[in-house]
Amino acid sequence: MKRPLIVAATLTAAGVLTGTAVLILRPAPPSRPPLVLPAVEQFTPGACRDAAEAVRSLARLTHGDDVAALSAADRTELRRVQDQFVTLGPTATADVREPMEALVLALGYLRIRLDSKTAEPRYLRDVETERSRLEKTCVTAR
């Protein structure tokens, strides 16, 4: 939660405190619902089940909008899951391959922006959108 910022008063020529304090309030970020992930067993057998742990791991990283909060370890995990999706893509059925490829692309954009220090929350949201789409495809395709 962001804290209010108080801007201090100014001094007059005589050294007497005469200014006023200004209170700047920032709206609290919307609260996110708790992260609820399907069990690995709920993923359709095959490429979906093979990707289940990567999908779940990625969900933990993309659950918020704070790109700056991604650590070096998180960035390593982004690379690992992207590589796993690239490897699994050719083995996936067409209905799973398309959202998997879209997720690989979104991850690539996020990683490039993180490396160049130009990442914005929308890149993280794009990854979460594609991750969620893949999860829904894999869990409901049973």
Side-chain angles (χ1 to χ4, degrees):
M1 181 173 160
K2 300 206 185 238
R3 299 187 193 279
L5 174 66
I6 299 178
V7 179
T10 60
L11 295 175
T12 64
V16 178
L17 188 61
T18 61
T20 59
V22 178
L23 183 63
I24 300 171
L25 296 176
R26 296 183 183 132
S31 62
R32 287 213 175 254
L35 183 61
V36 178
L37 298 172
V40 171
E41 297 76 31
Q42 291 180 283
F43 285 75
T44 304
C48 281
R49 177 96 32 99
D50 294 341
E53 278 305 327
V55 170
R56 291 167 47 89
S57 175
L58 193 53
R60 292 180 196 99
L61 296 176
T62 60
H63 189 62
D65 273 347
D66 192 0
V67 176
L70 293 174
S71 68
D74 294 337
R75 291 169 59 166
T76 299
E77 181 64 3
L78 289 173
R79 182 176 54 246
R80 186 193 71 77
V81 298
Q82 185 182 30
D83 289 346
Q84 186 171 357
F85 294 133
V86 167
T87 301
L88 290 171
T91 67
T93 59
D95 62 323
V96 173
R97 188 178 312 118
E98 192 277 323
M100 195 174 285
E101 288 172 352
L103 179 54
V104 167
L105 186 62
L107 278 163
Y109 284 130
L110 174 62
R111 290 184 53 220
I112 287 169
R113 290 299 194 140
L114 286 168
D115 289 347
S116 65
K117 298 185 183 354
T118 59
E120 298 172 10
R122 69 183 167 116
Y123 294 103
L124 199 57
R125 285 191 300 268
D126 289 348
V127 169
E128 174 51 25
T129 298
E130 297 304 335
R131 185 215 61 82
S132 179
R133 185 166 68 119
L134 178 61
E135 178 185 295
K136 287 177 183 145
T137 300
C138 284
V139 172
T140 60
R142 299 174 56 127

